[in-house]
Amino acid sequence: MPTAASAEPSPEPDTLGEAIQVEDLHKSFGSLEVLKGVSLNARKGDVVAIIGGSGSGKSTMLRCINFLETPTSGKITIDGEQIEMNADGSPANRRQIERIRTRLAMVFQQFNLWTHRTLLENVIEVPVHVLKVSRAEAIAQARVLLDRVGLGDKADTFPAYLSGGQQQRAAIARALAVDPNVMLFDEPTSALDPELVGEVLTVIRDLAAEGRTMLLVTHEMKFAREVANHVVYLFEGRIEEQGPPAEVFGNPQSARLKQFLSSVA
Amino acid sequence: MELILETLGLAESAQLLSLSPPGWGANLLRGLVNSLKIAFGAFGFGLLIGLFGAYGKLYGGPVLRDLLAIYTTVIRAVPELVLILILYYVGTDLINKASSALGYGRIEISGVVAGIWVLGIVQGAYSIEVLRGAIQAVPPGQIEAARAFGMPPIMTMWRVTIPAMMSFATPGLANLWLIATKDTALLAIVGFSELTLETRQAASSTRAYFTFFLAAGALYLIVTLCSGVVFAWIEKWARRGQPSLREDRT
């Protein structure tokens, strides 16, 4: 088992600021409590992999961070700015949450590209209309990004004509177009055919290598071990175990994590 | 041309329908223009009601939702002819009451405006349901993506929801438009000189009922055919990016 190598991409912890702080996050759907007090810190440059069985709350946690799901209670701080919440957990300041969301680009399991727009239009949509970048500048940048994910020749194609892997790479280009401080990946390869997973992971791996801060909910254990510098294992809405990948994967402490790792291996 | 009409025995009809007096063609066309004005206005007014109503029904509070439910149920339950009589007389009566209360005399209400208001209210009820269904058919992920990237609600509506729902809404809206063109005929009952009333007047003055009603029918048909072309074009635009069911996906 390799041990020390996996921790390498981690930047020096104390020299960089906190990117995301989640404190005592609770989320219930009706009477079902999905998150039972989760706390998580990610510094700038961290790649945090969130693993766990289905129903463990890992996607819900990610979606609470940008308030796609309204937390029931807890505290979320992005780049040192705490998100103002009402008593019921909903964001208290719409402008604040919208501003913060532009810095937290999300990549979805189902890609969620806008189907009535071409890839280029998808990528420039948020820069032009939300961030008010000039159209020409946004287009130039979008072409660079599409080239980077290997879709430069598909700029004028509509998403429905592309494979899942291509759509997901386009979705990553769309996320990069806002120059996000943190990228949230919600099971980015779970909806893909097995032979298409690799091309998407390659793109994400490159982003991790260039020091992007990422939260990555994934079922790809090998990949998590390779790119993450911190792994969080969720079980039934609580963090059961966390630590550097070498520890979590190489020397799991909790019986549940051992069982989980043996079931997905 | 004249010879052909003569041999077909249509010379008399052609004369009756000619655009200059003593022909009644100009009256019919004037009626058609009025009908189209009302249909356009009512359809547009209906769309406006439909859009706000659909959003209200989907995202509004309980009171708004109940009010909209009453509106769509009542309007769709009562025959249009009855609604037109009610809305026309109630509407004009209310305006006159208001104007006399404010110290003005009776005011003459333009037929076009009254027609648009009456038919628009009717169209709105149907539009709400067409647009509500279309909005619900938009994959939630598309709206979620907009939210996740910090788009404000109104921008999400204009940039994502409305364009994405257009392909679902167009067939229903095309129906509503055609219904609007034909519902204008019902306004004849309140004495508004749209195509049907003009036709009836021409027919009863000349006793050439068959000729005039056939001509009116042909005009309605032309409107429908032209609308079909326009809506086919709109639908093609609205469906951009969606592979056709017939052609092979590449």
Side-chain angles (χ1 to χ4, degrees), chain B residues 191-202:
Chain B
F192 178 64
S193 50
E194 42 62 65
L195 179 53
T196 299
L197 189 63
E198 291 282 3
T199 307
R200 204 168 63 190
Q201 282 167 350

Side-chain angles (χ1 to χ4, degrees), chain A residues 114-118 156-162, chain B residues 235-244 249:
Chain A
W114 295 301
T115 52
H116 55 283
R117 301 192 192 285
T118 63
D156 298 318
T157 310
F158 286 99
Y161 293 91
L162 299 172
Chain B
E235 194 166 337
K236 194 175 160 216
W237 169 81
R239 289 187 60 86
R240 72 198 182 286
Q242 298 181 26
S244 151
R249 292 180 63 164

Side-chain angles (χ1 to χ4, degrees), chain B residues 151-162:
Chain B
M151 266 197 200
I154 302 287
M155 189 190 288
T156 304
M157 177 172 124
W158 280 115
R159 300 289 311 168
V160 177
T161 314
I162 291 178

Side-chain angles (χ1 to χ4, degrees), chain A residues 198-250:
Chain A
E199 62 188 61
V200 173
L201 293 186
T202 305
V203 172
I204 300 174
R205 190 180 291 121
D206 288 350
L207 294 173
E210 71 177 29
R212 291 246 173 219
T213 314
M214 298 185 188
L215 261 58
L216 179 68
V217 171
T218 185
H219 288 293
E220 303 281 332
M221 295 304 146
K222 261 173 65 187
F223 182 70
R225 179 170 192 155
E226 179 196 339
V227 302
N229 63 343
H230 190 79
V231 178
V232 174
Y233 171 63
L234 275 180
F235 180 81
E236 290 185 352
R238 286 198 180 87
I239 294 182
E240 179 85 4
E241 191 166 338
Q242 58 180 323
E247 290 295 315
V248 171
F249 290 111

Side-chain angles (χ1 to χ4, degrees), chain A residues 148-199:
Chain A
R148 174 170 179 183
V149 298
L151 293 169
D153 57 333
K154 304 279 187 195
D156 298 318
T157 310
F158 286 99
Y161 293 91
L162 299 172
S163 74
Q166 289 171 321
Q167 289 192 51
Q168 191 61 296
R169 283 186 280 143
I172 292 172
R174 175 176 69 173
L176 287 170
V178 302
D179 192 21
N181 294 5
V182 181
M183 297 185 79
L184 307 174
F185 289 88
D186 187 7
E187 305 196 27
T189 57
S190 298
L192 298 177
D193 292 339
E195 77 270 22
L196 301 176
V197 169
E199 62 188 61

Side-chain angles (χ1 to χ4, degrees), chain A residues 3-37:
Chain A
T3 45
S6 325
E8 258 180 19
S10 167
E12 286 305 309
D14 293 326
T15 56
L16 295 165
E18 298 280 350
I20 291 182
Q21 289 166 283
V22 177
E23 279 171 61
D24 198 28
L25 184 67
H26 289 257
K27 169 67 182 173
S28 302
F29 293 104
S31 60
L32 177 71
E33 193 172 24
V34 179
L35 294 176
K36 299 165 183 164

